[in-house]
Amino acid sequence: MPRDPEAALPLRHLRVLERGGGVATAYAGKLFSDFGAQVTVLEPPGGHPLRAEPPLVDTPEGPQSALFAWLSTNKRSVTRLDGIDDCDVLLDGRPPAERDAASPSATITAGISWFGDGGPYRDFAATDATCRALSGILIGTGPVEGPPSILGGIAGAVVGGIAAFNAVAAALLSGAPRRLEVSIHEANVAIAEYQAAQAITHPMVERRHGVNRFAPSCPLGVYPCREGWLGVTIVTPAQFRSFCDMIGAPEVGHDPRFVVGFDRLAHVAELEALFVPRLRERTAEEWFEEALRRRLPFAVVPDMARLLATPTHRARDAFATVQLGERQFEGPTLPQRLTRTPPLTGGRAPRPGEHDGQPLPERPRRKPARPAGLPLAGLRIVDLSMGWAGPLCTRQLADLGAEVVKVEACQYPDWWRGVDPRPAFFAERQYERDLRFGVLNRNKAGITLDLTTPEGAALLKRLVREADAVVENYAREVLPKLGLDYPALVQERPDLVMVSMPAFGGSGPWRDARAYGSTLEHASGLPSVSGNADWPPTTNQLAYGDPIGGLNAAAAVLTALLHRRETGEGQHIDLAQVECMFPLVAPWILAQSANGSAGPRLGNRHPRMVPHGCFPCSGEGWIALAVTEDAAWPRLCAVIGREDLAADPALAKARGRRAREAEIEAAIAAWTTEREADAAMAALQSAGIAAGALRWPTGLVRDPHLRARGFWQPVERPWLGHHDQPSAPFREAGGGPYAIRRPAPTLGEDNDAVLGGLLGLPPAERAALAAAGIIGTEAIPVAQRKSRAAGQ
């Protein structure tokens, strides 16, 4: 629905100054400005560097950046600091070595950089691709033999921008002055955490299996239909049987060779030979409608024109008009759909220096500060989520100091504890040994409640009375059936903030669609602009949508809490996780809307930087590098010993190099193949060339920069023993990372502390609940669940 113009803007009381270039800083600023904050961009002489970033649109003033315009909606632009003082927030995107004290005073200062304010990589030249290479994201995508496939665009910077917003929003909630440091590199490690955790016990995860093939499941990719492309993700045995029934091969669904995903991946060629021809018999739209009926996690993979025209997204106002001078085009709106105080949809981008000399508007009086300490200390969150997206949201809030109480059931624990139905899995408590659960649920308390019972539901309501927010990612119909949806819970706590995370939103024809993180990527259209031009639309990650959804959910909760602090009003948040992916696709969405075409698929090349790609090194390593400006070209040539190329005047400019890009790439590869990836990176970085070795996720634990920054923190936990945990991507400037205060809870570990301590249930009552199976500390085997259900 269109935004109500009378709806309040939750951050309208804030003044924000944005300095320095970079998409991450600009996207953090966009989150503030589109939620109503008074954001002022300080532009250097000659204009903001992003004003030259593609896609460009023709205007009467010449070509201008649609990307900059989208990032700058509802902001002010100045070229001097006079009249800019007393800010709440300074978003400083300048490199650490270039920051100075010549900025207005601000309660919260956030330095946002590729690699943070310290460590061996601090002063590295970087691009979105080289940063993501070092974050463990790129290495696993593409052909078996390589090169790994580099997703172009702004994905890494957007993730860094969300992390910066979350850190600053939490600091604002505390009210205490803070200087923060945000690493885009560390923010992107969250994308690789799943593989890093699972590959310890399943080495197949850290291997390229081919385009649109990923461990630990199969099929997981994009396939041609009679018309269009279909994104398919099959994980569970039941889903595989239903998929086989759907394509008319039920016998395959019962073949014992194909029960689990790893086994299906081992037979991927045989399986694709069966199902790919059958998928060609119907259109992608027809298969998708069938998948909706069968509750299978499929999606039509749209190109940008189709994405912009999708009725489901149009009905939710997922795209809105950006005004750039006389030009208008559409870009994604913020996905944080706060129902009471939604963000602005679209807006106008400022001209350079348009607001010079204009004083800032008045703003409401600041609220008093809470005591210093962790930013979210004193806030309590009830976590009803499972898997990756929801728990990542609550983990980030817990890392920032919130008290998070995770609620599971002995009958249905978090599925990342494991889904093995065999009795030995329960007898040996293997569900306590999954590192993925441990990484996502640290710093949380854990209780069990059977919410299908009146007693369990009543206890959850009592818990909500003592909470500030609830996060849930159940299927849409579950909580209403239990009488525990937002209308019910807000009766217990009138100022409650609650976020729900359906794949496609809580309304519309797709509201009940099942989805994994890969399904969300497929539906976002990102595969249609990824990979080589002769490839099918290309999946970039095992489950991109999960961490992206989780980080955006945290931003939504924090925004709603800031509004509540000013007004006392709580609200529900309908976060469509697919819309969280749209900012990653923004360059192509903008190009389609403004110019009628998303442009050609460039593979590992770039529309502005030449050369730009991924090159083989010795020892099976790979390195990503980019010449970000013409001045860097002769320096690259000097490093690789090709002064003849530097002396060729035809190659001095990017346009000339584009015409001979294959020749240049061959020259670079001849040099890189003789060197290990880290040695090649060091040589290139010494000349100021953006370069990053492609890390495997498990290799991130040995990364010298992350080690030097204390990013990996040792944790001891029952059943898991000693292991390393990744830190949050933000910290107090000059200090170490926020501490991991406790490991992930074992099942029901905090029943006594929460139910007895917080809610005051006496021991006899807790014992009765345990005897009835409403609470407990051990998971109930599947066979016992079925037996109990049959006896009811």
Side-chain angles (χ1 to χ4, degrees), residues 68 98 128 134 161 187 193 196 232 251-252 348 449 483 485 552 581 610 624-625 636 713 731 787-788:
F68 175 84
E98 297 178 14
D128 206 88
L134 283 164
E193 285 177 350
V232 175
E251 70 285 356
V252 177
R348 178 178 166 276
L449 287 175
D485 55 356
N552 276 281
M581 292 292 297
V610 186
L625 67 82
L636 171 64
Q713 299 188 47
R731 58 183 70 185
S787 175
R788 177 186 171 190

Side-chain angles (χ1 to χ4, degrees), residues 437-512:
F437 179 87
V439 169
L440 265 295
N441 293 285
R442 57 146 185 258
N443 286 336
K444 303 176 186 178
I447 69 170
T448 51
L449 287 175
D450 183 353
L451 300 180
T452 66
T453 66
E455 297 90 343
L459 284 170
L460 181 71
K461 289 180 178 180
R462 287 180 59 181
L463 184 60
V464 167
R465 291 175 206 161
E466 308 298 325
D468 297 281
V470 173
V471 175
E472 67 92 4
N473 64 350
Y474 284 102
R476 183 190 64 86
E477 70 278 5
V478 172
L479 289 184
K481 286 181 179 178
L482 298 175
L484 297 172
D485 55 356
Y486 178 73
L489 295 182
V490 78
Q491 299 300 314
E492 307 297 326
R493 174 88 187 222
D495 65 348
L496 181 69
V497 168
M498 182 170 176
V499 61
S500 301
M501 305 172 63
F504 296 98
S507 60
W510 297 353
R511 64 186 182 276
D512 294 323

